Amino acid sequence: MTEIKLEHLFFHGWDNLSRTLIVGVLAYVTLVIFLRISGKRTLSKMNAFDLVVTVALGSTLATILLNKDVALAEGALAFALLIGMQFIVTWSSVRVRWVRRLATGEPHVLLLRGRFLAAALRYARVTEDEVRAAVRAAGFRDLEAVEAVVLETDGSFSVVGKDARSVSSPSLTDVKAAGK
């Protein structure tokens, strides 16, 4: 059985601290440069795909900082790979509908013309109380004043109010009832 020295729990030596400091600063600068090159989409409101990439970037940064067996160049390549893959998927999703649906999903109507869509709520695993909270947050007091509540691909709610002048809701053309 390996003996654990109490002093090693708190301090392994100046070499380890200096490595963490130098590699940490360089890895951070590398990540920031890659994120600036990749554009705003990498840090935009997140759908499931963007969240996975963001978590993977954070995990990679932590690994570079704390694992002596991972060189800075290997970490930089991992950053570039993750950001490059995200670029390819987002570039493709703008151009190919099935890639967009695979990567981001589709928005779903949960409430339409003041009425809850029970099947849509179950499919999206959202409660009526959560929808009511979104309606209140949007400044509506009455569900009848709401044309639709949409669960967006990033998990946020959009509340579309009724407009007495409008016969249709053009902003809802790409939205379907959840579960259909």
Side-chain angles (χ1 to χ4, degrees):
M1 192 154 122
T2 306
E3 180 182 330
I4 298 175
K5 295 182 181 180
L6 190 57
E7 64 269 10
H8 287 290
L9 291 175
F10 301 105
F11 185 71
H12 273 283
W14 291 106
D15 289 345
N16 292 337
L17 289 179
S18 61
R19 181 205 175 274
T20 302
L21 179 66
I22 293 167
V23 171
V25 168
L26 294 174
Y28 178 78
V29 169
T30 301
L31 180 57
V32 169
I33 289 169
F34 284 164
L35 290 174
R36 294 292 295 154
I37 291 169
S38 69
K40 292 183 172 103
R41 171 61 195 251
T42 307
L43 298 174
S44 67
K45 264 187 142 179
M46 288 186 243
N47 55 47
F49 177 74
D50 296 326
L51 177 64
V52 167
V53 171
T54 301
V55 169
L57 287 171
S59 177
T60 301
L61 180 60
T63 300
I64 295 167
L65 285 171
L66 300 175
N67 189 338
K68 293 179 199 174
D69 296 332
V70 177
L72 179 61
E74 294 167 331
L77 178 60
F79 287 151
L81 178 66
L82 289 167
I83 292 171
M85 292 299 296
Q86 184 188 34
F87 178 83
I88 289 168
V89 170
T90 55
W91 184 88
S92 300
S93 72
V94 169
R95 289 159 179 78
V96 182
R97 183 169 174 74
W98 71 265
V99 174
R100 179 173 47 254
R101 280 185 289 167
L102 180 67
T104 64
E106 293 180 315
H108 294 286
V109 176
L110 303 175
L111 181 131
L112 187 62
R113 296 181 192 97
R115 305 279 181 245
F116 289 103
L117 304 177
L121 290 167
R122 277 192 306 278
Y123 179 81
R125 297 183 314 276
V126 174
T127 66
E128 289 183 7
D129 290 339
E130 291 170 311
V131 174
R132 283 189 193 95
V135 169
R136 288 190 304 273
F140 291 93
R141 293 185 306 178
D142 186 3
L143 292 180
E144 292 298 323
V146 175
E147 176 69 19
V149 174
V150 179
L151 179 61
E152 300 293 353
T153 59
D154 64 0
S156 65
F157 294 104
S158 292
V159 180
V160 180
K162 286 185 180 175
D163 184 353
R165 297 169 290 159
S166 177
V167 175
S168 65
S169 297
S171 68
L172 299 174
T173 57
D174 67 331
V175 181
K176 67 179 189 175
K180 291 187 179 178

